[in-house]
């Protein structure tokens, strides 16, 4: 085997180890004033990379779980939302993107098996390519948050799907806090 190619998995693993800290961030530009969040069948988008079919079973339902967590969190907090067949015309389309990659232990040494890298993103604003996006100005409704990390089920003993559901709830709570900040109750002094 060519030494240059043999070193690739090692270099990739070293790079991943160096970025193993949880990356979490919200966009510094948030505008949820007057927003009625809109969820539709395209609000949750999943992608699985390099994940063998045998590993997909336990994580395939994460989209429904994260969607349910979002709705329950919004409902409990009293944040206005609507579930529609299409949010294409809404200025507050709510989009949750979940990307999960299985880290094959032959290539990703030191994480255990199973281990996954993931990105969980939440965005609120006009849907891309929609009439609302075409007319959006700097004052358009907007919110964005993203979490990214590596999760080793082997080390933690916790399924990646359960951990993503917990992070989905945390992200939903971040959205609730931002919405309440931009929509204070009359007389609250905020």
């Amino acid at each position: 085997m060519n030494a240059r190619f043999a070193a690739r998995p090692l270099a990739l693993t070293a790079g991943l180890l160096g970025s193993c800290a949880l990356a979490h961030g919200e966009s510094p530009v948030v505008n949820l004033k007057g927003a009625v969040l809109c969820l539709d069948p395209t609000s949750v988008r999943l992608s699985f990379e390099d994940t063998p079919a045998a590993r997909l079973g336990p994580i395939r339902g994460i989209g429904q779980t994260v969607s349910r967590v979002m709705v329950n969190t919004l409902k409990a907090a009293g944040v206005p939302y609507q579930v529609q067949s299409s949010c294409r015309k809404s200025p507050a389309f709510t989009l949750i993107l979940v990307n999960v990659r299985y880290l094959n232990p032959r290539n990703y040494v030191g994480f255990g098996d199973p281990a996954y890298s993931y990105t969980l993103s939440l965005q609120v604003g006009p849907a891309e390519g929609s009439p609302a996006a075409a007319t959006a100005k700097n004052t358009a409704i907007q919110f964005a948050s993203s979490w990214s990390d590596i999760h080793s089920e082997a080390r933690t003993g916790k399924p990646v799907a359960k951990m993503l559901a917990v992070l989905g709830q945390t992200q939903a709570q971040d959205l609730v806090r931002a919405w309440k900040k931009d929509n204070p109750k009359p007389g609250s002094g905020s």
Side-chain angles (χ1 to χ4, degrees):
M1 177 185 269
N2 184 320
R4 184 177 71 185
F5 292 111
R8 279 179 128 174
L10 183 59
L12 186 54
T13 299
L16 286 172
L17 284 171
S19 64
C20 212
L22 178 69
H24 170 227
E26 284 182 31
S27 169
V29 179
V30 174
N31 179 17
L32 294 170
K33 188 169 179 77
V36 175
L37 305 177
C38 188
L39 295 115
D40 72 14
T42 67
S43 284
V44 178
R45 299 183 189 161
L46 304 174
S47 61
F48 301 105
E49 296 180 50
D50 301 330
T51 307
R55 300 263 183 216
L56 276 177
I59 58 176
R60 194 177 301 260
I62 190 61
Q64 292 173 340
T65 302
V66 170
S67 179
R68 186 172 47 254
V69 164
M70 174 64 68
V71 168
N72 291 342
T73 303
L74 296 175
K75 187 182 295 186
V79 172
Y81 72 94
Q82 51 190 326
V83 178
Q84 297 190 358
S85 60
S86 173
C87 293
R88 187 149 172 77
K89 294 181 180 178
S90 171
F93 173 56
T94 304
L95 176 63
I96 302 165
L97 301 167
V98 182
N99 175 272
V100 179
R101 175 188 289 267
Y102 172 68
L103 302 179
N104 187 322
R106 291 185 316 227
N107 301 327
Y108 299 93
V109 179
F111 295 103
D113 187 29
Y116 302 87
S117 64
Y118 65 85
T119 300
L120 180 63
S121 298
L122 172 61
Q123 303 169 14
V124 178
E128 191 174 317
S130 70
T135 60
K137 304 278 187 245
N138 291 338
T139 59
I141 290 171
Q142 53 189 318
F143 175 88
S145 174
S146 186
W147 294 75
S148 213
D149 201 359
I150 293 174
H151 178 77
S152 172
E153 289 183 1
R155 287 186 182 169
T156 65
K158 296 179 183 171
V160 70
K162 184 176 264 188
M163 185 271 315
L164 285 170
V166 169
L167 288 180
Q169 182 166 22
T170 301
Q171 243 179 0
Q173 290 166 343
D174 290 345
L175 175 58
V176 164
R177 273 190 292 284
W179 188 92
K180 288 186 173 191
K181 181 178 178 190
D182 283 357
N183 297 281
K185 290 182 181 177
S188 67
S190 296

